[in-house]
Amino acid sequence: MILIEQVLGNTKEVLWKQKLDSARIDWLVLDQWEAQKNRLRKRTSGDLEVAISLDRNTHLHDGDILIWDEAGSSAVVVKTELKSVMVIDLGNVATQSLEIILRTCFELGHALGNQHWPAVVKGSKVFVPLTIDQKVMSSVMRTHDFSGITFEFVPGEDVIPYLAPHETRRLFGGAEPASHAHPDHVHTHTHAHGHSHS
């Protein structure tokens, strides 16, 4: 077993792109729950057991390089499998009267809370992880027919650069299946987004 306490770099960096171009890559595949942890033990696709022990408040990202063997031209690289995210855009609502802004935001928060969908608000956008089938989530949004609100689904990896680490954990960690959910997630999200307790 190999202990990993820091990330060497990322495949998106120019220097590493060149190094890895002809290298043999062994993938450490993480689902979205594992990707939020700073401590875990797992086997790579090549059956190498690694123990991750990163600093608190840090986690692994897609493309992170954990091991580099210069002589053997091989590397262990993280591959995250994050679900898509619904991005709700409130930009058009922001130009309306205060009354309409408040009503729309309250109704949206109530709708998300009733569905038990975790969410992260960043600027005029609301990020909601895919917790059920995308068609069902689209149907729920269309049923409410929120005036001035648009939404789209984007890959989780595309959203991460816009979020702080704690927001990423909240977004993807909060979308855990019921068997993995933590009580603090439930309280954090339901109270913050107008969940009705009726």
Side-chain angles (χ1 to χ4, degrees):
M1 182 179 64
I2 297 176
L3 176 65
I4 295 166
E5 296 181 298
Q6 63 181 11
V7 173
L8 303 177
N10 192 282
T11 55
K12 296 179 182 74
E13 297 164 12
V14 176
L15 176 68
W16 281 107
K17 274 184 183 176
Q18 294 168 352
K19 280 187 174 188
L20 296 172
D21 192 38
S22 58
R24 181 178 57 81
I25 296 179
D26 185 8
W27 299 102
L28 179 66
V29 181
L30 304 177
D31 64 26
Q32 63 186 44
W33 325 126
E34 294 167 326
Q36 307 314 311
K37 297 178 179 178
N38 61 351
R39 298 190 187 300
L40 72 127
R41 182 182 290 190
K42 190 163 185 180
R43 289 191 176 277
T44 65
S45 298
D47 207 33
L48 176 69
E49 188 175 12
V50 294
I52 310 294
S53 180
L54 302 176
D55 289 340
R56 198 165 173 256
N57 293 325
T58 60
H59 64 278
L60 296 172
H61 300 85
D62 190 58
D64 278 351
I65 299 154
L66 306 179
I67 299 171
W68 170 244
D69 176 7
E70 187 82 45
S73 188
S74 65
V76 172
V77 179
V78 173
K79 182 172 184 60
T80 58
E81 297 183 337
L82 299 178
K83 289 184 179 178
S84 293
V85 173
M86 179 169 61
V87 181
I88 303 169
D89 192 340
L90 297 167
N92 291 333
V93 176
T95 63
Q96 302 296 317
S97 70
L98 181 59
E99 182 184 350
I100 291 174
I101 292 171
L102 291 173
R103 184 172 64 241
T104 303
C105 290
F106 177 82
E107 288 174 354
L108 175 64
H110 188 267
L112 297 181
N114 275 344
Q115 296 298 323
H116 301 281
W117 290 346
V120 169
V121 179
K122 192 90 169 176
S124 63
K125 294 191 173 167
V126 181
F127 299 92
V128 182
L130 210 63
T131 55
I132 52 176
D133 187 86
Q134 184 172 312
K135 290 178 184 173
V136 176
M137 290 181 81
S138 292
S139 176
V140 168
M141 291 298 290
R142 282 195 303 271
T143 297
H144 286 283
D145 192 27
F146 296 110
S147 179
I149 289 179
T150 59
F151 67 93
E152 63 177 333
F153 294 90
V154 299
E157 290 82 3
D158 293 352
V159 169
I160 294 224
Y162 300 102
L163 303 174
H166 73 279
E167 291 170 324
T168 303
R169 283 192 299 277
R170 196 166 140 201
L171 187 66
F172 292 106
E176 294 180 68
S179 61
H180 293 212
H182 303 291
D184 57 308
H185 284 150
V186 174
H187 292 303
T188 298
H189 299 305
T190 53
H191 289 300
H193 300 289
H195 171 67
S196 169
H197 291 283
S198 58

